[in-house]
Amino acid sequence: METRQLKNITILILLLLNLFLLSLLLHFRLQKASSGQRLTQQLLTLYQSSAVALPEEEALLTATAPVSLSLNRDLRHEAEIAAFLLGAEAEGEAQGGGIYTYTGPHGTVQFRSNGAFDYTPKGQRINAPLDFCREFCERFGYVEAEEITLSGESGSFSALRSVEGVPVYNASLSFLFEDGLLLSVSGSCLSPAGSAPLSGSRFTVVDALVKFLDYRNASGVVCSAVTDVQPVYELQATAAQPMGLAAKWQVSTDTYLYYVDCATGEISRP
């Protein structure tokens, strides 16, 4: 009898403990939501006082900043891109100065150490150019641009490289076709394989918007509305670090685009 009573008491204590923990979790979540709402309201008030409109979507102000990355050159990735474009595998040849070339029956694909590559084929006919471009993007991590002039067998196709769902705004890709012939391919080639995160502080989206408003008021920038804010990467190349991805906040306004560096808060324009 005593054993059964002890067992019931133990079960009751565990139930009460679970209820306490659940209520504590709900309290923290409500407190966090309330704090976020106050912060959003303060930001909106700050922008209104400067006569600048700001979107009120909650998702916009809760976006997470990406982590800046250092990149290593991936020769295997370059060889795969070359094989897709050439239609067959080819051996890479080092030309010096960080340049590698891959040659096929229609021409040569050239890659540089800063991620740039180009291909100018001769007489290479592509069946269904749009499908060809989209397959390339899907295989190698590019996102199709909104504006495409490729119609039928002639025109251009543009895209941006994306890393873990974050666009690299200056790592573009361009295809040019005429009457089904591929005239040129150029752009930026990068691979996140073997990348390493860079340490340092990260500006939140709210930090970035406050920084931008200070910049706008101090510099006299003509701007009456922020229309969108999204995390992006900027492809950077230096002598010390040939390739790296710097995390930025892209602030779209009714006049221009601005970029706020997630590590330093520095503001720039493309």
Side-chain angles (χ1 to χ4, degrees):
M1 185 71 178
E2 292 181 359
T3 302
R4 180 177 295 178
Q5 288 179 341
L6 287 173
K7 184 178 180 180
N8 290 337
I9 292 172
T10 301
I11 292 173
L12 180 60
I13 291 173
L14 291 173
L15 287 173
L16 292 173
L17 180 61
N18 286 336
L19 288 173
F20 171 74
L21 292 174
L22 180 60
S23 64
L24 194 63
L25 178 62
L26 289 173
H27 172 73
F28 284 143
R29 286 185 175 178
L30 288 173
Q31 194 175 46
K32 183 177 180 181
S34 177
S35 176
Q37 290 172 354
R38 286 197 301 271
L39 189 60
T40 299
Q41 188 57 50
Q42 290 171 358
L43 186 64
L44 289 171
T45 301
L46 186 65
Y47 265 72
Q48 288 170 359
S49 67
S50 296
V52 180
L54 187 68
E56 299 186 21
E57 291 88 345
E58 185 177 345
L60 181 74
L61 301 179
T62 56
T64 304
V67 179
S68 295
L69 301 170
S70 64
L71 300 176
N72 294 316
R73 186 172 187 177
D74 189 344
L75 295 178
R76 180 177 179 181
H77 183 67
E78 293 179 0
E80 290 173 349
I81 287 179
F84 184 96
L85 295 174
L86 295 170
E89 293 185 2
E91 289 292 329
E93 297 182 12
Q95 304 296 327
I99 297 175
Y100 276 79
T101 59
Y102 298 81
T103 301
H106 297 291
T108 298
V109 186
Q110 181 174 261
F111 295 87
R112 297 175 178 83
S113 60
N114 64 358
F117 79 98
D118 58 80
Y119 176 45
T120 306
K122 294 180 180 180
Q124 184 174 358
R125 179 164 294 279
I126 302 295
N127 295 322
L130 184 58
D131 292 341
F132 177 83
C133 294
R134 285 176 171 167
E135 184 181 351
F136 183 97
C137 290
E138 183 177 355
R139 185 176 298 187
F140 299 112
Y142 292 83
V143 178
E144 183 177 329
E146 292 182 3
E147 296 183 2
I148 294 174
T149 64
L150 180 57
S151 177
E153 296 188 329
S154 298
S156 63
F157 179 99
S158 300
L160 281 180
R161 184 68 166 90
S162 177
V163 175
E164 296 182 357
V166 179
V168 185
Y169 80 86
N170 62 336
S172 60
L173 172 70
S174 177
F175 291 83
L176 183 62
F177 297 88
E178 184 175 337
D179 296 329
L181 294 178
L182 178 59
L183 300 183
S184 67
V185 183
S186 62
S188 296
C189 164
L190 60 95
S191 170
S195 63
L198 299 176
S199 60
S201 59
R202 282 194 285 169
F203 275 56
T204 66
V205 64
V206 173
D207 295 333
L209 286 170
V210 171
K211 190 76 175 177
F212 171 74
L213 187 62
D214 289 342
Y215 169 82
R216 179 257 186 191
N217 292 339
S219 63
V221 166
V222 177
C223 161
S224 61
V226 170
T227 57
D228 190 27
V229 184
Q230 66 169 321
V232 297
Y233 277 123
E234 179 183 84
L235 178 62
Q236 296 181 341
T238 63
Q241 177 64 46
M243 280 195 293
L245 293 177
K248 307 266 184 175
W249 287 107
Q250 179 179 275
V251 181
S252 303
T253 74
D254 55 348
T255 53
Y256 298 106
L257 285 177
Y258 297 88
Y259 295 94
V260 182
D261 191 288
C262 289
T264 66
E266 181 181 355
I267 296 177
S268 60
R269 279 181 53 190

